[in-house]
Amino acid sequence: MINLFEYQNKADIQASFDGLEGFLDEIWNSREKNSFYSKNGNDKIESQRFLQFIHKSNEIKSNKYVGVIHYRGNKINLLPKIFFDSNNNYTVESPKLNNEVSQIQNHILWWLSYCRKIKFPNYQASLGSTKSSFFEVLIYLFSKYTRELLNTSIYQQYEEVNRELSFIKGRLNTNEYINQNLSTGKWHKLNCTYDAFVFDNKFNRIIKYVTTLLFNNSSDHDNKKNLREILFILDEVSDERATAEQCSKISFNPMFGKFETVRDYCQLFLTNCVSFDYKNDLKLFAFLLPMEYIFEDFIFGFIDKELEGVKAKSQRSDTYLDEDKTFNLKPDLWLKTDYKSLIADTKYKIVYSDEKDPKKGISQNDLYQMLAYAVRFEVDEIILFYPNTIKQSQEQQTELTIKDALAAGKEISIKAFQLPIINHELLESGLETKSDLTELFESTKDRLKNKLEKILVPTM
């Protein structure tokens, strides 16, 4: 097992990694099913951006994605940079390190539970203490819920069926009947098209495809058992490849409302899982998420769900920098309270790490961007949100005032805050059996909620 933190530590390229870079290039160039991979002009880049291969020193390094890569029996954990501690040795496996990695992955799951763009199902269950990665935990949550649901309820839906019958049902396909039946002496068989309430439907085929994909890539005994039971229940369902786009088009009537969670899990896996087959031998499997979008989506979802006095709108895009409407401005968050409107931007960057840095790690380009937002959206308060890190027990903040000489010296306030999204105590504690995300992060939720309320609604 190799643990790599975004842009931080490195690991030796092992002999079994031969061909890995080529496979990742294939995945990168066929990544159309995940829009996150093609933002910021990356769709024009032909070489992959998941891992850095430093051939001069024969090492690999993680980029901006978090998740897990399975390749020829090797597992590479890609972890958020805000958890990296240069004093720790991440190359030697130990119970303490394994526990820390599992707790880091629990943090990712908690962040995902608030995400809206990166679809994460609302259903929560006990996490257990035996899962080796957050990918295995996701499989556990999906397989447990789906198995229990299919044992009590079978999803059926009306689909158009073409069959030969001894009586007319629906409509008679006249051309087919003449050419295929009447002309061959099978006049008593009628070629009909009708709607049938079927078990072998599009959604069940999606479930079966996702379950098969996960079964082939899970190494956890409990997960494989649950997945095997799902496949047994869906044995009569046809095998058919599924896509995230197909999954997103599935809707349910209230009678089958519980299956929405299954659909959300399927969409989560189909959107973020990438694999590459070579001669029917699965060489590589990866579950990868772009961390900067997780942070942005998490903050928006948290404010929208937990702060009653704040109305949040994600990525308002109706304003342009220029009059010709060429350069679109799209701030991460447009926030409105009873007292004011303001713009907030999330920046997944490590700041306040160097006490001697007068800029505190805040990018000058970020300030330019915020100033453009203030002018065009006509607001005098801009907020930058940064994550705290494992090395910082106290969150820092900075406030800058800019006077607009073209607007009679009007003052624009730009404030930068670190948000407490890390539970330091949890990283030091052991994994608890039958614990869930709500219990694990209750104190973190309260701290983050109190912090945001003080920032956004000072009178509360």
Side-chain angles (χ1 to χ4, degrees):
M1 183 187 298
I2 295 175
N3 299 306
L4 294 175
F5 294 78
E6 302 167 280
Y7 303 106
Q8 305 299 316
N9 60 325
K10 303 173 186 176
D12 294 334
I13 298 177
Q14 302 175 12
S16 56
F17 286 177
D18 182 43
L20 175 59
E21 187 173 11
F23 283 124
L24 291 176
D25 283 338
E26 288 282 349
I27 288 171
W28 182 263
N29 289 313
S30 60
R31 67 193 184 283
E32 67 280 352
K33 59 186 175 184
N34 191 335
S35 61
F36 291 120
Y37 298 154
S38 57
K39 290 194 176 184
N40 299 324
N42 284 338
D43 54 323
K44 298 179 181 179
I45 302 174
E46 295 183 359
S47 58
Q48 59 87 22
R49 288 294 181 268
F50 301 119
L51 294 175
Q52 297 179 42
F53 285 79
I54 310 170
H55 296 288
K56 188 175 182 179
S57 58
N58 201 40
E59 292 176 312
I60 56 174
K61 192 175 183 179
S62 172
N63 281 339
K64 67 176 182 179
Y65 296 95
V66 298
V68 62
I69 295 175
H70 293 180
Y71 184 73
R72 291 181 176 174
N74 297 286
K75 184 169 77 172
I76 306 173
N77 287 321
L78 306 182
L79 304 168
K81 60 188 175 185
I82 59 177
F83 291 99
F84 180 71
D85 187 345
S86 57
N87 296 321
N88 290 345
N89 185 352
Y90 295 102
T91 60
V92 179
E93 279 199 56
S94 66
K96 183 178 183 300
L97 176 60
N98 292 338
N99 176 79
E100 184 177 344
V101 170
S102 296
Q103 296 290 22
I104 290 173
Q105 292 164 342
N106 282 341
H107 277 77
I108 299 173
L109 285 171
W110 183 62
W111 299 334
L112 285 173
S113 69
Y114 282 96
C115 287
R116 306 298 173 88
K117 300 174 198 170
I118 302 175
K119 194 88 173 178
F120 187 82
N122 293 324
Y123 169 73
Q124 296 291 330
S126 298
L127 297 174
S129 60
T130 59
K131 308 299 176 286
S132 58
S133 71
F134 86 100
F135 175 64
E136 292 287 3
V137 174
L138 285 173
I139 296 177
Y140 171 72
L141 296 175
F142 163 77
S143 63
K144 184 176 185 294
Y145 181 86
T146 305
R147 177 181 60 81
E148 292 174 352
L149 183 59
L150 291 177
N151 279 333
T152 58
S153 177
I154 296 298
Y155 179 75
Q156 292 178 290
Q157 70 177 25
Y158 283 103
E159 286 195 356
E160 194 174 78
V161 176
N162 295 305
R163 285 181 184 168
E164 291 184 347
L165 304 173
S166 56
F167 55 91
I168 291 181
K169 184 176 182 180
R171 70 174 186 272
L172 176 67
N173 299 320
T174 308
N175 290 335
E176 287 80 358
Y177 175 68
I178 294 174
N179 295 328
Q180 299 176 15
N181 297 66
L182 199 60
S183 62
T184 58
K186 295 192 299 180
W187 56 268
H188 59 291
K189 291 292 184 180
L190 306 174
N191 194 304
C192 299
T193 297
Y194 60 94
D195 288 334
F197 203 51
V198 294
F199 175 57
D200 185 8
N201 54 64
K202 185 180 297 183
F203 181 58
N204 283 338
R205 290 193 287 271
I206 290 174
I207 298 176
K208 187 173 184 180
Y209 174 76
V210 171
T211 302
T212 303
L213 178 70
L214 299 179
F215 182 82
N216 291 333
N217 291 283
S218 175
S219 57
D220 184 85
H221 174 74
D222 292 336
N223 286 347
K224 280 187 169 292
K225 180 182 177 182
N226 289 335
L227 294 168
R228 191 180 293 110
E229 291 185 23
I230 296 172
L231 291 174
F232 177 77
I233 296 171
L234 300 177
D235 183 59
E236 296 180 8
V237 175
S238 303
D239 294 314
E240 185 178 284
R241 192 175 185 88
T243 66
E245 184 180 1
Q246 291 173 337
C247 200
S248 65
K249 295 178 180 178
I250 300 291
S251 59
F252 302 92
N253 63 44
M255 183 172 65
F256 292 111
K258 291 184 178 179
F259 282 91
E260 290 182 357
T261 297
V262 179
R263 178 202 60 198
D264 291 347
Y265 271 116
C266 289
Q267 189 170 352
L268 178 73
F269 287 118
L270 290 172
T271 302
N272 299 289
C273 290
V274 285
S275 59
F276 189 86
D277 293 279
Y278 180 69
K279 295 182 179 179
N280 298 320
D281 180 20
L282 188 65
K283 297 288 185 180
L284 180 143
F285 178 84
F287 182 82
L288 301 165
L289 294 164
M291 191 59 218
E292 61 186 271
Y293 295 108
I294 293 179
F295 180 62
E296 173 193 323
D297 206 3
F298 164 64
I299 297 302
F300 166 62
F302 190 92
I303 292 174
D304 189 48
K305 182 178 180 180
E306 302 292 349
L307 273 65
E308 296 181 359
V310 181
K311 294 182 180 179
K313 184 177 180 181
S314 177
Q315 291 197 333
R316 175 179 167 180
S317 58
D318 57 356
T319 303
Y320 292 80
L321 182 62
D322 60 321
E323 294 300 321
D324 293 332
K325 295 187 176 181
T326 304
F327 298 94
N328 186 218
L329 295 177
K330 191 181 289 187
D332 292 340
L333 292 170
W334 173 269
L335 304 174
K336 185 175 179 59
T337 70
D338 293 337
Y339 309 97
K340 59 186 175 182
S341 296
L342 53 91
I343 287 174
D345 229 43
T346 58
K347 301 295 181 182
Y348 179 66
K349 299 177 180 179
I350 296 177
V351 291
Y352 304 103
S353 59
D354 185 358
E355 295 180 358
K356 297 180 181 179
D357 180 11
K359 296 180 181 179
K360 308 300 181 184
I362 298 173
S363 166
Q364 195 158 322
N365 288 335
D366 290 344
L367 292 182
Y368 292 158
Q369 183 185 27
M370 296 304 104
L371 187 58
Y373 287 163
V375 171
R376 297 303 291 162
F377 285 92
E378 298 182 9
V379 296
D380 58 9
E381 185 174 348
I382 302 284
I383 292 178
L384 289 167
F385 287 135
Y386 296 92
N388 65 334
T389 70
I390 189 63
K391 290 186 175 182
Q392 297 164 327
S393 57
Q394 297 294 326
E395 295 81 39
Q396 305 292 322
Q397 63 185 60
T398 299
E399 182 172 357
L400 301 170
T401 300
I402 299 174
K403 288 189 176 183
D404 188 350
L406 296 177
K410 181 179 180 180
E411 293 187 350
I412 299 173
S413 174
I414 299 178
K415 301 176 183 178
F417 297 92
Q418 274 188 307
L419 298 181
I421 67 171
I422 294 177
N423 187 327
H424 290 78
E425 297 80 12
L426 191 62
L427 293 170
E428 299 297 328
S429 63
L431 286 171
E432 298 180 18
T433 307
K434 297 182 179 180
S435 58
D436 60 42
L437 294 176
T438 304
E439 294 175 358
L440 289 176
F441 292 95
E442 186 66 30
S443 61
T444 316
K445 183 193 81 170
D446 291 340
R447 285 199 299 270
L448 179 56
K449 184 177 179 180
N450 291 336
K451 178 85 172 182
L452 287 169
E453 285 178 344
K454 290 178 180 178
I455 296 170
L456 301 177
V457 194
T459 59
M460 291 183 66

